[in-house]
Amino acid sequence: MIKTSLKTHWEDVYSTRGETSMSWYQAEPRLSLELIRDLAPTLGARIIDVGGGASVLVDRLLDLSFTRIAVLDIAETALARARSRLGNRAERVEWIAADVTEIEDVGIFDVWHDRAVFHFLTEESDRRRYVALARRTLPAGGLLMIACFADDGPRRCSDLDIRRYGAESMGAELGAEFALVRQARETHATPWNTSQAFFYGVFQRQ
Ligand SMILES: C[S@@+](CC[C@H](N)C(=O)[O-])C[C@H]1O[C@@H](n2cnc3c(N)ncnc32)[C@H](O)[C@@H]1O
């Protein structure tokens, strides 16, 4: 899919459907929060949710002790939804409308969270640009938390082809500058009660 139509795809998804009719919808991002609480240096740390969409993860992050919180997404409609839900609290968040494979710089963050975005990158060159940005964004010791469909998960998401991952294949994509520190599996129940197997990996920037 070419880039302009990719943005159109995601803007259409968010402008024509309610959140609870999207397969990835979570009322509570339980496992992400568990990993963040367990592993991230929440006191004074900076966190970015890459491809955060309209997820309520940002609402929960605002209740933790992060000093800097950003949400990046290609779909402005998704960011607008999250902002309006948060009301005044949205002012404490940096909202970045951008394609993660095209933006050159997002600043420096201690934690990079991505649930169900990297798996859409079917082009090798996009994956290389994504990893290069993560490398520039995270200082040594920083954490990259990434959730994708697992090796036995679905082959498509939001009508798009995806790539499935486990610890080894994700480690190979990220390269030697990221070391696996935790992995987990989640069986996500879609709003219509089908199951999707997710792999979660937490990698530390070397
Ligand atoms: C499956 S949804 C997951 C949303 C959110 N992370 C969650 O768990 O609810 C994928 C999200 O990634 C965004 N996205 C897809 N490709 C992107 C890209 N190249 N750059 C930035 N965001 C992208 C979409 O707009 C969408 O919000």
Side-chain angles (χ1 to χ4, degrees):
M1 190 179 270
I2 59 163
K3 297 286 172 157
T4 45
S5 55
L6 185 69
K7 179 167 167 58
T8 307
H9 170 84
W10 287 108
E11 297 291 3
D12 282 354
V13 166
Y14 283 101
S15 50
T16 57
R17 287 162 55 188
E19 262 132 89
T20 53
S21 69
M22 298 175 189
S23 60
W24 54 90
Y25 172 74
Q26 291 180 299
E28 200 57 36
R30 192 193 52 76
L31 184 52
S32 294
L33 280 169
E34 190 181 306
L35 293 170
I36 290 167
R37 286 204 181 96
D38 274 8
L39 299 169
T42 49
L43 201 63
R46 301 155 289 186
I47 185 165
I48 181 164
D49 190 15
V50 173
S55 164
V56 298
L57 180 66
V58 63
D59 307 41
R60 306 294 175 261
L61 296 177
L62 282 164
D63 295 332
L64 302 175
S65 312
F66 290 102
T67 48
R68 183 176 183 191
I69 300 172
V71 181
L72 178 149
D73 204 280
I74 198 169
E76 287 168 59
T77 322
L79 298 179
R81 265 200 205 181
R83 289 174 91 132
S84 98
R85 184 182 65 231
L86 283 166
N88 290 342
R89 298 212 306 160
E91 288 164 23
R92 283 187 48 211
V93 178
E94 291 167 44
W95 303 96
I96 308 170
D99 184 328
V100 66
T101 66
E102 290 182 348
I103 190 166
E104 287 297 321
D105 180 27
V106 292
I108 301 293
F109 290 89
D110 306 293
V111 184
W112 171 294
H113 175 271
D114 163 349
R115 174 175 177 268
V117 185
F118 186 81
H119 71 191
F120 287 110
L121 306 182
T122 53
E123 295 289 330
E124 163 86 26
S125 55
D126 285 341
R127 294 196 297 279
R128 298 280 61 82
R129 281 195 291 271
Y130 177 109
V131 174
L133 179 66
R135 271 203 304 263
R136 288 197 295 279
T137 302
L138 291 165
L143 297 174
L144 188 149
M145 301 186 168
I146 193 157
C148 293
F149 282 164
D151 289 326
D152 57 343
R155 290 175 191 279
R156 285 172 70 81
C157 181
S158 187
D159 295 326
L160 301 173
D161 290 334
I162 57 96
R163 286 168 63 93
R164 304 183 294 178
Y165 292 95
E168 207 172 302
S169 52
M170 183 57 78
E173 290 292 341
L174 299 176
E177 279 162 305
F178 289 96
L180 183 69
V181 291
R182 179 83 69 90
Q183 59 175 305
R185 260 179 75 91
E186 180 179 63
T187 304
H188 168 65
T190 66
W192 41 95
N193 238 5
T194 55
S195 294
Q196 298 181 328
F198 271 81
F199 157 77
Y200 281 67
V202 182
F203 294 82
Q204 187 160 47
R205 175 84 162 90
Q206 301 301 290

